[in-house]
Amino acid sequence: MRLGGRDVAETAFRMEARGVSKIFGTHKALDTVDFGLLAGEVHALLGENGAGKSTLIKILTGAYQPDGGEVLVDGTPVHLDSPLHAQSFGIGTVYQEVNLLPNRSVAENLFLGHQPTRFGLVDRKRMNKDARVLLKRYGLEIDPASELGSHSVAVQQIVAIARAVQLSGKVLILDEPTASLDRDEVQRLFEVVASLKRDGLAIVFITHFLDQVFALADRVTILRNGKLVDTSRLSDLTRTELVRKMLGKDIAFSGSTSLEAQRPVTDVLLEFKNYGRKRSVRPFTLTIHKGEVIGVAGLLGSGRTEMARVMFGIDPSDEGSVTLNGKPISIRAATDAIAHGFGFCPEDRKADGIFGDLSVRENIVIALQGKLGWFRALNRDEQLDLAGQFGESMDIRAASLDMPVKLLSGGNQQKVILARWLATDPAFLILDEPTRGIDVGAHAEIVRTINRLRDDGMALVVISSEIDEVVAYSSRVVVMRDREMVAELRGEDISPAVIVQAIATHGEATSEETAA
Amino acid sequence: MNRSMRPLLATVAIFLVAYAAAVFQFPGLLSTRVLGNFLTDNAFLGITAVGMTFVIISGGIDLSVGAVIGFTGVLVAVLISSFGLHPLVAFAIAFVVAALFGAAMGLAIHYLEVPAFIVTLAGMFLARGGASVITQDSVPINNEFYTMISSLYFRLPGGGRLSFVGLLMIAVFVFGAILAHRTRFGSYVYALGGNATSASLMGVPVARTTVQIYMLSSVLACLAGIVFSLYTSAGYPLAAVGVELDAIGAVVIGGTLLTGGYGFVFGTFVGVMLLGLVQTYIIFDGTLSSWWTKIVIGILLFLFIVLQRLVFAASARGDRSSETA
């Protein structure tokens, strides 16, 4: 078994997964993964989308049953039927979205199902008193009778931890607990976690923020594509090594920059100045020229998508300004962005992109129709004409333009969404993970389209986890880390090695942060 | 102050102001006689509304209660008049039938994951249809025991009468308040209405609680049906048509959030009283058509829904600003 540190091997694990596998259909979400958790440690679990992190967590919490391998608690094999069953073995979980009841009192949230009773009735006085004592240990001095929803997310998160520890007490699984917290709140949470660790709790910590991993965790387990990459002590790892392991770039870097993309550009299209949104993405300054592809690199949860959403006005910015062709504009909603000639292909195609039951034709014309408004309806001939035209130029492979778009392959769906925006003749297009989950042929097609649009003078922002791909088509690369734009690379700096370095390391930006 | 208290306080304030205004116009309204009748006349609605309060707090709805009242009335009347059973035996049978009926709806809602609206709508048709199958006509109940309890009352100072059914309603409200606010079951009901996913992750027995909630609603509707038959001394299959909507109205006016999670049993009591006041006022006035009751209830309902929106939207904003601060 691969374990970090020799001294660890002899120590008994508080909780262990031995060679667990989980198969969904034909897809192996988890492939014989070993995971050992010690008492009194914070163990970070890392991996990109689809790495198998959440599958492993669901197996450890009893939400899924493994198809192979076994789970052990204190050395004894156990069968965990449900999160509640896992709780009885001492395994508690706190999720990113606080899974408590905002409509009930803090005390009730702590003790629900275990409220102290007197003569069959809930003894509120005692419950509130117990809650006050319990919360004090976590440094919270709040009225236990107050409604949970009236407190900040951080407080709710701590209440959730208090409940989980109270009811389980051996293993605490923190599933991205800091995702919606600000800096001070994260600090507060960390103090709580550190003190629980001193009390001997075994803690699994899942996060996308590398700084937090290094600040809090003792050991780290990295998964990729459902397989265990490594478990090791954090003190034995550098940031760059960690990122390489996560991204699977430990082999020789391939990929070369596109000379076409490096053409000098002059006409400024958009200028975002200190543009940002609280709790979403820290202010960034970015100039976008016509005929330019800005690649956005960064780990999952680094603020890439948030940046796109703020640019497109889905989450309007609360700071900074933006100019279009030198004139200041205001983007308060997606409709504003569309009116200014923006387009946006979201990351989650199925949930946010396609209208599955509508036809290919309807999916293509919908953004244009939205832009034209109610009173200039495109008639069926115009629609067919448009759809046919883009169907051909984008090489959309559908039996008929009138078939529901959900029947198409992922790659063709992506092309439909691209066509939808191209029909509106945008000046600026944001693509969030345009090549995720599509086959190689369609992949190449999308990349070709990106190149063609750039050569036609369109400005594009393309977000991708595929570093080779970013390198291949970007004129400039913006690197995101911890919700912040940390680097802007151009020319020779656009290489996988430099990008990985930028994602991983504490740059100047980070030292600024700590100073601030 | 707990923000969910605000709609309740508003209801209480509106009731007091409306009552004072009505008394100002018709001083006769301020008598124990009128108050006693208030309780008696609205007893079946109040009892139904207690069950509805639990259902709505849990995030559901029960459209079947009016039909259950009608069905119970007919069932009890037939069991007593045609089968010659003692009323208490008839009541017991009716309670068992109602409990099973409620349990079946709860099971369907939980396990088939069908919205409560549809399941209880089906339940409404079933119960109403069942009542009409038993009999098409009004079945009179001539039974000594029946006459005895329906004429049972305490004399109030000032010549008013607090009837048995009025007292029964108050008892049901007290029972409901304790159940909602002082038991684990009550906390589970609020938990379901707050966030069903969280509730199940926190270990709330969701299936059991859902079934119990609809059983409670049906059993209380059955009790309301018995009260209604005591009140009218008959069972009629088309009795209490639309009472489910009056009950929902009373619950919402009483400050319970239609989306679930917030509410008070006491609020429902005030809501029922407010509806009763409107009715009594219109009777006292004498010139207004009784349909004005519906119009006033409509306006009140609308007012309260807007009020709740404002209260909850305002406090949501407050939460956010305190977070960012």
Side-chain angles (χ1 to χ4, degrees):
Chain A
M1 223 157 81
R2 301 166 69 180
L3 297 166
R6 288 143 301 270
D7 52 328
V8 167
E10 302 102 55
T11 325
F13 288 120
R14 179 117 271 196
M15 186 175 199
E16 194 182 351
R18 269 190 207 154
V20 291
S21 299
K22 181 76 189 172
I23 299 160
F24 295 111
T26 56
H27 174 62
K28 259 198 167 172
L30 215 52
D31 191 357
T32 53
V33 167
D34 295 323
F35 180 75
L37 185 62
L38 294 163
E41 76 161 345
V42 175
H43 194 138
L45 185 57
L46 296 179
E48 284 288 274
N49 245 347
K53 250 179 342 187
S54 55
T55 311
L56 179 59
I57 287 306
K58 282 183 173 155
I59 287 174
L60 293 181
T61 56
Y64 287 165
Q65 277 69 51
D67 293 323
E70 57 181 354
V71 176
L72 298 91
V73 175
D74 288 328
T76 323
V78 291
H79 184 82
L80 306 171
D81 297 326
S82 68
L84 265 189
H85 190 222
Q87 209 177 67
S88 68
F89 282 102
I91 301 152
T93 315
V94 173
Y95 304 90
Q96 172 186 354
E97 300 298 330
V98 183
N99 271 290
L100 293 179
L101 302 162
N103 59 327
R104 302 309 286 163
S105 76
V106 171
E108 195 163 292
N109 272 288
L110 283 171
F111 297 116
L112 186 77
H114 308 265
Q115 296 109 315
T117 53
R118 227 170 128 230
F119 311 123
L121 298 181
V122 172
D123 187 349
R124 280 213 197 150
K125 244 191 210 153
R126 218 183 100 200
M127 184 168 84
N128 286 338
K129 216 178 87 203
D130 291 354
R132 203 180 286 276
V133 172
L134 181 63
L135 290 174
K136 211 163 199 170
R137 267 190 264 153
Y138 293 86
L140 277 188
E141 303 243 356
I142 53 174
D143 178 9
S146 57
E147 211 176 283
L148 182 77
S150 66
H151 297 288
S152 71
V153 183
V155 170
Q156 294 187 32
Q157 199 72 261
I158 291 173
V159 171
I161 291 175
R163 179 183 168 90
V165 172
Q166 170 82 0
L167 295 180
S168 33
K170 273 189 199 168
V171 174
L172 178 64
I173 297 170
L174 300 171
D175 192 355
E176 291 194 49
T178 57
S180 43
L181 304 185
D182 66 28
R183 224 159 267 259
D184 295 341
E185 292 171 335
V186 168
Q187 204 47 51
R188 195 163 176 192
L189 188 81
F190 278 16
E191 282 162 21
V192 167
V193 172
S195 92
L196 289 172
K197 178 177 118 179
R198 281 194 298 276
D199 293 346
L201 220 69
I203 299 163
V204 182
F205 180 55
I206 298 151
T207 185
H208 293 303
F209 302 122
L210 291 187
D211 288 347
Q212 296 182 359
V213 171
F214 279 93
L216 196 62
D218 304 302
R219 292 197 302 152
V220 58
T221 290
I222 302 158
L223 299 176
R224 192 175 64 239
N225 296 328
K227 291 198 177 69
L228 178 70
V229 176
D230 193 16
T231 295
S232 84
R233 291 200 162 279
L234 268 167
S235 47
D236 300 341
L237 268 183
T238 67
R239 279 166 174 274
T240 315
E241 279 168 353
L242 191 67
V243 172
R244 284 189 182 194
K245 286 183 180 196
M246 286 174 71
L247 296 179
K249 295 289 167 200
D250 36 8
I251 25 150
F253 284 152
S254 59
S256 54
T257 50
S258 150
L259 287 178
E260 280 298 311
Q262 301 299 327
R263 248 179 351 173
V265 280
T266 45
D267 296 348
V268 173
L269 180 72
L270 278 164
E271 241 182 319
F272 293 94
K273 275 200 192 112
N274 289 321
Y275 211 63
R277 178 181 166 85
K278 278 199 191 71
R279 285 170 183 275
S280 173
V281 60
R282 291 170 50 93
F284 57 88
T285 296
L286 185 62
T287 307
I288 301 168
H289 301 86
K290 288 175 187 162
E292 191 178 46
V293 174
I294 313 275
V296 180
L299 296 174
L300 187 71
S302 58
R304 304 174 308 191
T305 297
E306 286 79 359
M307 182 190 216
R309 290 173 65 93
V310 167
M311 280 179 169
F312 199 61
I314 301 169
D315 301 323
S317 72
D318 50 21
E319 244 177 290
S321 62
V322 52
T323 61
L324 175 66
N325 292 320
K327 284 189 280 292
I329 58 169
S330 146
I331 302 166
R332 309 306 313 160
T335 45
D336 295 341
I338 294 168
H340 286 302
F342 290 20
F344 178 43
C345 302
E347 181 177 17
D348 189 344
R349 212 163 34 231
K350 287 209 174 65
D352 306 329
I354 59 163
F355 297 93
D357 293 315
L358 296 187
S359 70
V360 174
R361 166 177 58 86
E362 286 162 324
N363 266 285
I364 289 179
V365 300
I366 201 156
L368 180 59
Q369 187 62 70
K371 197 176 173 185
L372 291 176
W374 283 26
F375 301 109
R376 282 154 56 203
L378 293 164
N379 65 38
R380 201 184 141 79
D381 284 346
E382 285 171 312
Q383 290 188 12
L384 271 178
D385 201 41
L386 252 157
Q389 184 190 322
F390 282 100
E392 201 169 316
S393 70
M394 298 290 300
D395 193 21
I396 294 168
R397 285 172 208 153
S400 142
L401 290 173
D402 280 313
M403 72 190 276
V405 78
K406 66 179 175 192
L407 300 178
L408 267 55
S409 72
N412 280 307
Q413 288 179 2
Q414 191 65 51
K415 290 187 210 163
V416 169
I417 299 176
L418 255 171
R420 172 194 298 167
W421 290 109
L422 296 183
T424 67
D425 192 19
F428 175 53
L429 193 56
I430 305 167
L431 308 177
D432 193 355
E433 294 280 7
T435 57
R436 167 162 317 150
I438 64 181
D439 62 74
V440 182
H443 190 290
E445 197 94 37
I446 300 273
V447 172
R448 252 201 308 283
T449 307
I450 290 170
N451 285 327
R452 179 166 57 82
L453 294 173
R454 180 196 59 222
D455 294 343
D456 290 350
M458 195 186 288
L460 295 101
V461 163
V462 185
I463 298 166
S464 179
S465 308
E466 303 286 329
I467 292 187
D468 294 342
E469 183 188 307
V470 169
V471 167
Y473 51 59
S474 298
S475 321
R476 264 183 299 149
V477 173
V478 162
V479 177
M480 302 294 292
R481 191 197 330 127
D482 291 357
R483 305 269 165 93
E484 187 166 15
M485 185 173 138
V486 290
E488 193 179 330
L489 309 172
R490 52 184 86 226
E492 287 187 354
D493 281 345
I494 303 182
S495 76
V498 178
I499 293 174
V500 167
Q501 193 74 25
I503 292 173
T505 46
H506 273 287
E508 324 80 53
T510 327
S511 46
E512 252 173 46
E513 275 166 30
T514 37
Chain B
M1 187 185 61
N2 199 321
R3 61 183 174 159
S4 61
M5 290 288 279
R6 279 175 243 175
L8 174 64
L9 291 179
T11 310
V12 172
I14 287 179
F15 177 74
L16 292 178
V17 168
Y19 193 48
V23 167
F24 184 73
Q25 197 180 350
F26 305 112
L29 269 171
L30 186 66
S31 71
T32 52
R33 199 171 296 218
V34 171
L35 282 174
N37 286 346
F38 242 49
L39 297 177
T40 308
D41 295 346
N42 294 297
F44 77 100
L45 176 62
I47 292 169
T48 313
V50 171
M52 189 66 81
T53 309
F54 281 85
V55 173
I56 292 180
I57 288 174
S58 80
I61 196 95
D62 189 351
L63 298 178
S64 70
V65 289
V68 170
I69 292 174
F71 180 84
T72 304
V74 170
L75 182 68
V76 167
V78 168
L79 285 176
I80 294 171
S81 301
S82 309
F83 290 82
L85 292 181
H86 189 274
L88 289 178
V89 179
F91 294 166
I93 293 172
F95 279 131
V96 170
V97 171
L100 291 175
F101 180 75
M105 291 197 298
L107 288 170
I109 290 163
H110 180 76
Y111 287 104
L112 305 180
E113 292 173 29
V114 183
F117 187 91
I118 300 297
V119 172
T120 60
L121 185 68
M124 177 180 102
F125 287 126
L126 272 175
R128 192 64 78 186
S132 306
V133 166
I134 294 175
T135 175
Q136 299 269 10
D137 314 307
S138 177
V139 181
I141 304 171
N142 294 311
N143 182 295
E144 273 176 42
F145 179 76
Y146 234 74
T147 326
M148 195 266 288
I149 44 175
S150 64
S151 55
L152 211 60
Y153 63 85
F154 294 98
R155 192 167 290 283
L156 294 171
R161 291 169 173 192
L162 177 56
S163 66
F164 172 74
V165 293
L167 207 60
L168 186 64
M169 173 180 76
I170 291 172
V172 168
F173 269 105
V174 170
F175 164 78
I178 291 172
L179 192 63
H181 306 305
R182 297 298 303 274
T183 64
R184 282 193 189 162
F185 170 75
S187 64
Y188 293 161
V189 174
Y190 282 95
L192 283 188
N195 185 333
T197 316
S198 294
S200 76
L201 282 172
M202 289 172 79
V204 171
V206 177
R208 196 179 78 203
T209 308
T210 306
V211 170
Q212 284 170 340
I213 289 167
Y214 287 90
M215 278 175 82
L216 179 70
S217 177
S218 289
V219 166
L220 287 178
C222 173
L223 182 61
I226 291 169
V227 165
F228 195 73
S229 73
L230 281 169
Y231 188 65
T232 57
S233 288
Y236 181 52
L238 293 182
V241 167
V243 162
E244 61 277 357
L245 302 180
D246 290 337
I248 293 168
V251 170
V252 172
I253 288 173
T256 296
L257 209 60
L258 207 45
T259 45
Y262 295 93
F264 298 93
V265 173
F266 176 70
T268 302
F269 180 74
V270 182
V272 170
M273 288 300 104
L274 193 55
L275 296 191
L277 176 68
V278 172
Q279 252 159 11
T280 312
Y281 175 85
I282 283 163
I283 292 165
F284 260 72
D285 183 87
T287 60
L288 293 168
S289 141
S290 68
W291 286 103
W292 275 97
T293 321
K294 301 281 176 202
I295 292 173
V296 175
I297 292 172
I299 292 169
L300 278 177
L301 257 181
F302 191 69
L303 204 76
F304 273 88
I305 288 165
V306 171
L307 178 78
Q308 290 185 349
R309 264 277 144 240
L310 291 179
V311 166
F312 281 85
S315 51
R317 256 200 309 283
D319 290 350
R320 234 172 288 139
S321 60
S322 67
E323 261 174 37
T324 46

